[in-house]
Amino acid sequence: MTSQSFDTARNHQITRQEAADLVLGFQAKLDAGYHYASAFNRSAFEQLLAQPGAAGIRIYRAEHADGSPTMVMVAVDADGVDMDAVEGLYMQNAVDCPPICKGAGLAKS
C-alpha cells in the first residue's frame, strides 16, 4: 500500500473501452459463475455521502459467512480515512452478479 493522500478533486472518469478492458481482464481470471459485480441503488451512495464530513466512498470486497462474495461500502473523510464508527453507516445488501446480471453491459456474456 502507498501513503499517498486522498485526493478529493481526483477525476475518476475513464472511457468505455478502458472500463471494458479492466473489467474483462479481471473476469478472464475468474472461474465460471464467480461474483464479479454488485449493483447498489442511488440511495446507498446518497446516504453515505450525506454524513457530515463524508468526502468519498470506499468499496471493500467482502464475504458472507457461507463464503459467497459481496461488497461493503463505507464513507471516507477528506483525508481518506474510513468513517467506521460503530454507529456509522455501512452499505451491503447489493444485487450481486451473478446471479442477477441483467443490464451488466461490461460483463462477459
Side-chain angles (χ1 to χ4, degrees):
M1 291 195 285
T2 67
S3 60
Q4 289 181 322
S5 62
F6 185 68
D7 180 1
T8 59
R10 183 180 189 131
N11 180 359
H12 296 280
Q13 187 173 346
I14 61 175
T15 67
R16 193 214 187 273
Q17 187 61 55
E18 290 170 313
D21 289 347
L22 291 167
V23 170
L24 294 174
F26 174 76
Q27 290 176 356
K29 299 173 187 174
L30 299 177
D31 293 333
Y34 192 79
H35 171 265
Y36 52 83
S38 295
F40 290 85
N41 62 33
R42 181 183 186 120
S43 70
F45 292 92
E46 290 173 344
Q47 290 175 66
L48 288 171
L49 293 172
Q51 296 176 96
I57 295 172
R58 178 167 286 121
I59 303 173
Y60 286 97
R61 293 182 192 182
E63 188 174 87
H64 293 285
D66 67 2
S68 62
T70 191
M71 306 295 271
V72 172
M73 296 193 306
V74 62
V76 296
D77 65 19
D79 293 323
V81 176
D82 287 358
M83 296 175 59
D84 62 350
V86 172
E87 66 280 354
L89 286 178
Y90 304 88
M91 299 293 166
Q92 190 270 322
N93 204 19
V95 177
D96 291 327
C97 173
I100 304 170
C101 299
K102 182 179 180 181
L106 293 177
K108 60 184 175 184
S109 51

